[in-house]
Amino acid sequence: MKKQIQKNEPLILIGFMGTGKSTLGEYIAFHENKTFADLDKVIEETVGKSIPSIFKDHGESKFRELEGEFLCESLEKYDIISTGGGIVESTSAMNTLSNLNNIIWLDTDIEIIYNRIKNDSNRPNASNKAFDDLKRLYLSRLSRYNEIAFSRIDTNIDIDILYQNLMNILNANDQYWRA
Ligand code: S3P
């Protein structure tokens, strides 16, 4: 489906772990006076467990089901949603995202990402992974990010410039926030 920015749909940030989705989402929400949800946090708070505990106690596939479920709920409640890097592994989330327009893919070099997340024990799919394994996971997801995104931005720049670049994309395609 060809995407077109729509002002009545939330802004959804996708991309691999460590690309700055939550930080940017929070930053835009603050500057644009919008509501924001970090989907990982919504899941953790609702289930009452950390992501590593959900993976350990219920398995990754259960986590992917929860992502699909809470994505749908969050779409009704928030203006901006940052998703987990593995949301593209969730069949139900992919079905939902395929029908949405305002999806921005945040991306940067895998070397930078690796250095940001390699020791993060809160990320079960990154902790203790060798560079080559993480890169393989990253490469395996690229086509799915690309498939559902309206646009891709490299996030290895100052956050204020990143924010301005994103607003330019949104406003050039619709009076998304300002109308
Ligand atoms: C995951 C990414 C994480 C989180 C979970 C699984 C993944 O989100 O959803 O640890 O498989 O890529 P972030 O992208 O916010 O780290």
Side-chain angles (χ1 to χ4, degrees), residues 17 21 40 51 55 63-64 67 84-86 123-125 141:
M17 294 175 270
K21 303 175 295 280
D40 284 340
I51 288 174
F55 268 61
F63 179 73
R64 299 301 171 205
E67 278 185 310
R123 288 179 160 118
N125 278 340
R141 291 176 176 173

Side-chain angles (χ1 to χ4, degrees), residues 90-110:
S90 164
T91 309
S92 67
M94 273 302 273
N95 286 338
T96 304
L97 292 168
S98 302
N99 292 310
L100 293 170
N101 290 280
N102 306 339
I103 303 178
I104 304 292
W105 170 21
L106 306 188
D107 194 26
T108 196
D109 296 344
I110 185 62

Side-chain angles (χ1 to χ4, degrees), residues 2-11 100-102 170 173-176:
K2 176 124 176 54
K3 309 266 172 177
Q4 222 177 354
I5 295 297
Q6 302 286 335
K7 62 175 165 254
N8 57 346
E9 285 183 19
L11 170 65
L100 293 170
N101 290 280
N102 306 339
L170 298 175
N173 289 282
D174 197 317
Q175 292 305 302
Y176 181 58

Side-chain angles (χ1 to χ4, degrees), residues 43 73 105 127 170:
I43 296 173
E73 269 191 26
W105 170 21
S127 58
L170 298 175

Side-chain angles (χ1 to χ4, degrees), residues 15 30 58 60 79 91 101-102 104 160:
F30 176 78
H58 309 283
E60 182 168 345
D79 302 316
T91 309
N101 290 280
N102 306 339
I104 304 292
D160 197 54

Side-chain angles (χ1 to χ4, degrees), residues 25-36 78-80 163 167 177-178:
E26 230 166 11
Y27 192 92
I28 305 170
F30 176 78
H31 288 277
E32 298 292 323
N33 201 20
K34 301 282 179 184
T35 58
F36 167 72
Y78 301 100
D79 302 316
I80 304 170
Y163 159 60
M167 295 313 296
W177 301 96
R178 313 280 185 209

